[in-house]
């Protein structure tokens, strides 16, 4: 019976795991777009993108994005339920907006190099990335958006703010990831700017607005039962 009690205890403790069911909404929708948005799309790029060189070494922070997002989500999931809900709210709302934009406004970019000037293991990794990931559905950049959202969650966490080294490391990694999207020719400057804008707007609703609401609730008089 102990395993049943343990299971019930874990289920109760981590009942907020239901949030991860969003994956069953996001993945089918995203895979549908990846399969059907292949040729006819609006090109999202600027003359500035042409001046950004291709640097294959940025493949390292670009791939570290997956571990970074997973680590941040797991930290809040295990230690801070309220922070987890806020992170999930801002992140999943933005990801849904991204899906809607990609559906009604098919988009992509033509920035990827046709020929690589060098041949090394990092270029090989970029080739693998290009084969696995299409150059469509890029606006706004989810790599950038989710990185910014993770940094927001870290910045808003009182507990994490006690660990400056961790925070600084996270911010540096997020910066490298954001730069990687452009230096690997995965995203345009416009994709990056749109991701920042979306994160800023959603931040006002998820963190700022709720933060203002909390003091008002705290000031409400407590009604005593007679």
């Amino acid at each position: 019976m102990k395993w049943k009690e343990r299971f019930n205890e874990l289920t109760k403790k981590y009942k907020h795991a239901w949030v991860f069911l969003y994956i069953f909404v996001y993945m089918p929708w995203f895979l549908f777009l990846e399969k059907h948005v292949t040729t006819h799309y609006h090109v999202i790029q600027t003359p500035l993108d042409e001046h950004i060189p291709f640097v294959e070494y940025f493949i390292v922070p670009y791939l570290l994005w997956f571990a970074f997002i997973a680590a941040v989500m797991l930290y809040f999931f295990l230690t801070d339920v309220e922070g987890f809900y806020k992170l999930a709210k801002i992140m999943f709302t933005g990801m849904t907006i991204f899906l809607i934009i990609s559906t009604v406004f098919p988009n992509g970019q033509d920035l990827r190099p046709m020929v690589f000037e060098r041949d090394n293991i990092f270029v090989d990794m970029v080739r693998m990335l290009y084969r696995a990931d299409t150059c469509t559905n890029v606006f706004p950049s989810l790599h950038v958006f989710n990185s910014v959202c993770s940094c927001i969650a870290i910045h808003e966490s009182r507990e994490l703010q006690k660990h400056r080294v961790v925070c600084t490391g996270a911010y540096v990694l997020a910066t490298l990831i954001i730069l990687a999207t452009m230096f690997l020719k995965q995203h345009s400057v416009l994709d990056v700017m749109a991701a920042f804008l979306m994160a800023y707007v959603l931040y006002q609703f998820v963190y700022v607005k709720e933060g203002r609401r909390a003091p008002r609730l705290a000031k409400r008089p407590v009604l005593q039962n007679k």
Side-chain angles (χ1 to χ4, degrees):
M1 294 295 293
K2 288 186 177 180
W3 68 270
K4 288 185 177 180
E5 294 176 359
R6 180 60 176 167
F7 177 78
N8 291 333
E9 181 182 337
L10 290 174
T11 302
K12 184 178 180 180
K13 183 177 181 181
Y14 299 116
K15 59 184 179 181
H16 49 292
W18 69 268
V19 171
F20 291 119
L21 292 175
Y22 175 73
I23 194 69
F24 295 106
V25 175
Y26 177 80
M27 284 309 298
W29 194 345
F30 177 75
L31 292 175
F32 173 83
L33 292 172
E34 285 287 279
K35 183 177 180 180
H36 291 84
V37 180
T38 55
T39 53
H40 298 88
Y41 54 81
H42 299 84
V43 178
I44 307 294
Q45 57 195 65
T46 69
L48 179 59
D49 294 304
E50 302 296 333
H51 297 284
I52 299 176
F54 170 81
V55 182
E56 69 270 23
Y57 306 111
F58 274 98
I59 188 64
V60 176
Y62 187 89
L63 294 179
L64 284 176
W65 174 84
F66 296 96
F68 175 55
I69 300 302
V72 174
M73 290 290 290
L74 186 61
Y75 170 81
F76 283 97
F77 175 77
L78 295 175
T79 66
D80 183 356
V81 176
E82 182 181 356
F84 171 76
Y85 274 127
K86 286 185 178 181
L87 176 59
K89 184 185 293 186
I90 188 174
M91 195 175 286
F92 295 168
T93 300
M95 291 165 67
T96 303
I97 293 174
F98 158 79
L99 291 173
I100 295 173
I101 291 175
S102 297
T103 301
V104 301
F105 183 72
N107 57 82
Q109 49 91 351
D110 300 323
L111 296 169
R112 293 178 175 182
M114 300 299 293
V115 178
F116 296 99
E117 297 180 359
R118 295 173 293 276
D119 190 13
N120 53 51
I121 186 173
F122 300 102
V123 170
D124 291 338
M125 294 168 69
V126 174
R127 289 194 180 102
M128 293 177 61
L129 172 65
Y130 284 0
R131 287 195 294 267
D133 188 19
T134 69
C135 60
T136 57
N137 308 311
V138 297
F139 182 86
S141 167
L142 286 189
H143 250 67
V144 174
F145 174 74
N146 287 343
S147 296
V148 174
C149 288
S150 296
C151 288
I152 289 174
I154 291 171
H155 180 267
E156 294 292 326
S157 170
R158 292 182 179 178
E159 187 61 33
L160 283 177
Q161 285 303 308
K162 298 177 184 177
H163 306 280
R164 286 298 180 183
V165 174
V166 174
C167 294
T168 301
Y171 300 152
V172 170
L173 177 57
T175 300
L176 291 174
I177 290 171
I178 293 169
L179 292 174
T181 63
M182 294 177 284
F183 282 101
L184 291 180
K185 300 302 179 179
Q186 280 289 91
H187 287 282
S188 162
V189 172
L190 286 177
D191 302 331
V192 174
M193 293 173 62
F196 269 96
L197 177 61
M198 184 165 68
Y200 174 78
V201 172
L202 293 179
Y203 169 75
Q204 305 303 314
F205 289 95
V206 177
Y207 288 91
V208 176
K209 189 175 181 180
E210 292 188 5
R212 291 172 179 169
R213 187 191 312 161
R216 291 200 300 269
L217 293 176
K219 293 179 181 179
R220 288 184 179 179
V222 178
L223 299 177
Q224 297 181 350
N225 295 325
K226 295 183 179 179

